[in-house]
């Protein structure tokens, strides 16, 4: 792969260190959870799409919030994820969710954004579809059945490398549908099928769904446009991405002074969406300052302050900074071998003992005239 087509891949080790060493998952989960308060589900139930499920650390937080707000409303939750490692980690988090909220259908797919929202690939003949009704009524029973499934999913989630982009792409489109067998009758209208209608969503989560340095036009065409078009009336899409306005980016520029991965803000994304999609029902939701921009931080041991910066803190901070900035493997390896990274991290940490990172959120909704009329009538 050439330098021009080099891509950032979040290796398992880098991801685990990032997730465990920062507050990012909790902070993003809390911010997405705020959108649940604005949802107005309609029969037959509420539908959620996670455009980058990962290991479901954020999604499971949102599901807990959803149960608090809508404890008796059925759901269909669709997660898009191409990594089999992440799929396995996500599925093992589900038994408690099925126990607390039995009226849930959970779907995971490896398809592209546009295909995944429809749960229908361009080439239907290659589709691998599994429908799994979990038996029993306890989290232990659900966990046992899910664990037995994990090994066999590897063939369905086989990937190859795109010769055009260098990114991983699926070999065969795959869908796994899970629900509790003892609630199948109630959930029947929410259980998708290969021949079923195209779903529309009440909530779409798009947290870091695209490569930061990707062209604006492709970010919107390949990711945000199909997600926005999948919103049902009253549905909300929350997009979240890094801004680079933080000490983490200062570390990166100590090593790569000209690095500029965060070229497009929420306004750029929304303006490009309007250019590409002619849909007057889609509108931007105004955000307060704390809704539009928020921080997550590094976790440090109490002893690892500016007076005694331990090696573990240096490495964890470096990993977080390069993970957020999506530095490709080749350049990362070169920096690590030169030890330039250690001086860069130490300089910034001596000035800013608790390194933080800034994310930006934007919200797009499909107008619901009935809800707006009701709200207007209530204020008159």
């Amino acid at each position: 792969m050439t330098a021009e087509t080099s891509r950032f891949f979040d290796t398992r080790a880098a991801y685990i260190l990032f997730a465990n060493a920062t507050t990012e998952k909790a902070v993003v989960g809390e911010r997405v959870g705020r959108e649940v308060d604005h949802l107005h589900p309609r029969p037959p139930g509420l539908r959620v799409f996670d455009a980058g499920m990962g290991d479901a650390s954020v999604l499971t937080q949102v599901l807990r919030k959803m149960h608090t707000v809508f404890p008796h409303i059925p759901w269909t939750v669709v997660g898009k994820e191409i990594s089999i490692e992440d799929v396995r980690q996500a599925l093992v988090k589900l038994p408690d969710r099925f126990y607390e909220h039995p009226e849930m259908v959970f779907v995971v797919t490896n398809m592209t954004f546009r295909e995944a929202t429809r749960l229908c690939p361009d080439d239907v003949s290659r589709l691998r579809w599994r429908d799994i009704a979990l038996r029993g009524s306890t989290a232990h029973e659900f966990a046992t059945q899910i664990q037995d499934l994990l090994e066999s999913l590897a063939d369905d989630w086989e990937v190859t490398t795109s010769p055009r982009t260098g990114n991983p792409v699926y070999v065969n489109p795959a869908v796994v549908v899970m629900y509790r067998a003892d609630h199948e009758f109630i959930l029947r209208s929410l259980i998708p099928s290969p021949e079923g209608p195209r779903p529309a969503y009440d909530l779409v989560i798009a947290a870091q769904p695209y490569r930061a340095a990707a062209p604006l036009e492709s970010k919107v065409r390949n990711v945000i446009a199909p997600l926005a078009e999948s919103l049902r009336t009253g549905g909300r899409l929350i997009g979240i991405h890094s801004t680079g306005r933080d000490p983490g980016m200062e570390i990166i520029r100590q090593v790569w002074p000209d690095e500029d991965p965060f070229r497009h803000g929420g306004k750029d994304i929304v303006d490009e969406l309007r250019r590409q999609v002619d849909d007057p029902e889609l509108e931007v939701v105004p955000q307060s300052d704390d809704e539009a921009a928020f921080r997550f931080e590094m976790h440090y041991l109490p002893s690892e302050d500016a007076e005694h910066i331990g090696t573990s803190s240096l490495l964890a901070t470096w990993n977080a900074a390069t993970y957020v900035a999506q530095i490709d493997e080749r350049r990362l390896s070169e920096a690590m071998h030169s030890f330039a990274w250690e001086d860069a991290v130490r300089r910034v940490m001596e000035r800013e003992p608790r390194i933080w990172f800034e994310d930006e959120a934007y919200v797009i909704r499909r107008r619901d005239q009935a809800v707006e009329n009701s709200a207007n009538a209530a204020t008159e």
Side-chain angles (χ1 to χ4, degrees):
M1 193 182 303
T2 66
E4 288 73 25
T5 60
S6 165
R7 291 293 184 268
F8 163 78
F9 297 108
D10 52 340
T11 66
R12 177 58 41 188
Y15 170 78
I16 290 174
L17 181 55
F18 172 77
N20 290 334
T22 72
T23 63
E24 193 256 0
K25 298 303 177 185
V27 170
V28 172
E30 188 279 332
R31 175 61 190 88
V32 175
R34 296 190 208 176
E35 297 305 309
V36 174
D37 295 320
H38 300 289
L39 302 182
H40 301 278
R42 298 176 178 179
L46 189 151
R47 289 186 173 93
V48 175
F49 185 89
D50 190 340
M53 181 183 70
D55 67 357
S57 293
V58 170
L59 181 57
T60 49
Q61 292 181 69
V62 177
L63 297 183
R64 287 194 286 270
K65 173 65 179 288
M66 284 169 51
H67 179 75
T68 301
V69 179
F70 306 113
H72 304 297
I73 291 180
W75 312 333
T76 298
V77 180
V78 180
K80 168 187 157 44
E81 182 53 56
I82 197 167
S83 163
I84 185 60
E85 293 88 353
D86 278 328
V87 169
R88 287 170 176 152
Q89 292 299 315
L91 294 183
V92 298
K93 293 181 173 70
L94 294 183
D96 291 341
R97 297 302 89 225
F98 280 117
Y99 177 78
E100 182 178 62
H101 198 90
E103 301 89 0
M104 177 175 76
V105 179
F106 194 90
V107 184
V108 61
T109 180
N110 63 357
M111 290 188 275
T112 68
F113 290 97
R114 192 171 298 277
E115 294 172 326
T117 56
R118 305 190 308 255
L119 291 178
C120 182
D122 293 335
D123 185 357
V124 179
S125 66
R126 295 164 51 209
L127 177 61
R128 298 189 178 187
W129 187 288
R130 297 185 187 223
D131 190 288
I132 300 168
L134 298 170
R135 303 176 304 279
S137 59
T138 67
H140 173 72
E141 290 171 299
F142 305 146
T144 299
Q145 293 166 73
I146 289 173
Q147 192 66 44
D148 290 342
L149 169 72
L150 297 182
E151 194 63 35
S152 65
L153 286 181
D155 289 340
D156 291 353
W157 253 258
E158 185 182 356
V159 299
T160 187
T161 301
S162 167
R164 183 176 61 85
T165 67
N167 290 330
V169 293
Y170 65 71
V171 174
N172 292 296
V175 174
V176 175
V177 181
M178 289 184 177
Y179 51 88
R180 286 179 52 160
D182 58 355
H183 283 68
E184 181 176 0
F185 183 85
I186 298 171
L187 295 169
R188 191 165 297 165
S189 59
L190 284 170
I191 299 172
S193 68
E195 302 81 21
R198 173 179 174 176
Y201 300 94
D202 298 275
L203 176 64
V204 173
I205 305 167
Q208 310 288 358
Y210 35 65
R211 172 96 162 104
L216 178 62
E217 190 273 340
S218 66
K219 287 180 181 177
V220 174
R221 182 187 70 248
N222 297 328
V223 183
I224 298 302
L227 298 180
E229 291 170 340
S230 74
L231 291 173
R232 74 188 300 182
T233 300
R236 301 168 76 91
L237 181 157
I238 177 167
I240 295 175
H241 54 220
S242 303
T243 68
R245 299 188 295 259
D246 50 53
M249 196 61 203
E250 291 182 45
I251 292 172
I252 296 301
R253 289 194 173 124
Q254 294 270 345
V255 180
W256 299 285
D258 297 327
E259 188 69 16
D260 183 26
F262 308 112
R263 303 165 190 168
H264 312 124
K267 185 179 184 303
D268 300 315
I269 295 290
V270 169
D271 288 346
E272 179 64 18
L273 177 65
R274 286 171 170 156
R275 188 188 71 81
Q276 292 189 25
V277 179
D278 182 16
D279 188 341
E281 291 187 351
L282 293 176
E283 61 183 10
V284 180
V285 179
Q287 303 287 294
S288 64
D289 290 344
D290 69 319
E291 290 174 327
F294 54 95
R295 297 179 178 183
F296 64 91
E297 299 180 340
M298 297 295 303
H299 285 305
Y300 295 128
L301 296 174
S303 61
E304 294 182 321
D305 53 24
E307 299 300 318
H308 178 72
I309 303 173
T311 302
S312 61
S313 290
L314 288 171
L315 183 58
T317 303
W318 169 250
N319 179 78
T322 55
Y323 187 91
V324 170
Q326 300 179 353
I327 300 300
D328 63 84
E329 188 175 347
R330 177 185 59 80
R331 290 189 298 159
L332 186 58
S333 177
E334 291 172 355
M336 293 291 286
H337 279 97
S338 71
F339 293 98
W341 69 274
E342 189 169 344
D343 290 338
V345 177
R346 193 178 295 277
R347 278 194 294 267
V348 177
M349 286 185 69
E350 286 173 348
R351 193 199 75 243
E352 190 84 37
R354 186 163 293 277
I355 301 296
W356 52 271
F357 302 84
E358 184 183 78
D359 279 351
E360 178 188 25
Y362 55 93
V363 177
I364 299 164
R365 71 181 170 196
R366 186 174 295 281
R367 295 185 61 185
D368 188 335
Q369 196 62 52
V371 171
E372 291 176 11
N373 292 341
S374 177
N376 293 334
T379 58
E380 293 178 355

